[in-house]
Amino acid sequence: MVDAMGLNSLAIKATNHCLTGCVIGEVTGMAIATALGWGNVAQIALAVALAYVFGFGLTALPLVRAGLPARTVVSTALAADTVSITIMEVIDNLTVILIPSAMDAGLGDALFWGSIAAGFAIAYPFAFLANRSLIARGRGHAVVHEHHAH
């Protein structure tokens, strides 16, 4: 059993891990879609899809390096990150949508970058609480730790 300090530490690591994948995917997707002049729906769809790809990829890479079979890698990454990534993406994208003119901001606008950052800052404590709860029950990112030293 993990003590409260260990549980919080592991939940912070899991949330930071999720945040990293989401930010890479979200910013890459928004930047590509904005540069190509895509509409808001396509822009959000690409950003969310890439956030999941990068989030799951960051979890999968060390599992692949540990020599786990593909089925285990996929199921572990899905179990570890789906809830956290979903929370991050829903809150971040709602924040960007609700901030006036953020969806119309260009790559050179502070509003573009600030709205994404604000969304993730708002999402972080919710993702942390979800990760903490999952880890306390031996789920979520705790599953990853069964396979390697993270």
Side-chain angles (χ1 to χ4, degrees):
M1 174 117 186
V2 178
D3 66 9
M5 291 289 286
L7 179 58
N8 287 337
S9 176
L10 193 53
I12 288 169
K13 287 178 185 176
T15 307
N16 289 345
H17 176 261
C18 173
L19 177 65
T20 301
C22 286
V23 168
I24 292 169
E26 186 82 21
V27 169
T28 301
M30 294 288 236
I32 290 169
T34 299
L36 295 175
W38 289 3
N40 292 345
V41 173
Q43 184 177 26
I44 291 171
L46 179 61
V48 170
L50 289 177
Y52 279 98
V53 167
F54 281 100
F56 291 139
L58 288 176
T59 296
L61 190 58
L63 299 174
V64 169
R65 287 184 185 147
L68 296 172
R71 181 180 176 138
T72 302
V73 170
V74 170
S75 65
T76 302
L78 289 172
D81 292 327
T82 301
V83 171
S84 186
I85 292 171
T86 301
I87 289 168
M88 287 273 190
E89 286 304 301
V90 167
I91 293 173
D92 179 64
N93 282 289
L94 281 174
T95 302
V96 172
I97 289 168
L98 293 174
I99 293 175
S101 302
M103 289 300 298
D104 298 322
L107 295 175
D109 296 331
L111 183 58
F112 175 87
W113 301 104
S115 64
I116 294 172
F120 284 123
I122 294 166
Y124 190 92
F126 296 98
F128 166 80
L129 291 172
N131 280 321
R132 189 180 190 286
S133 175
L134 288 167
I135 293 166
R137 295 189 328 247
R139 297 178 186 227
H141 227 264
V143 176
V144 174
H145 291 274
E146 293 174 6
H147 297 291
H148 71 88
H150 194 60

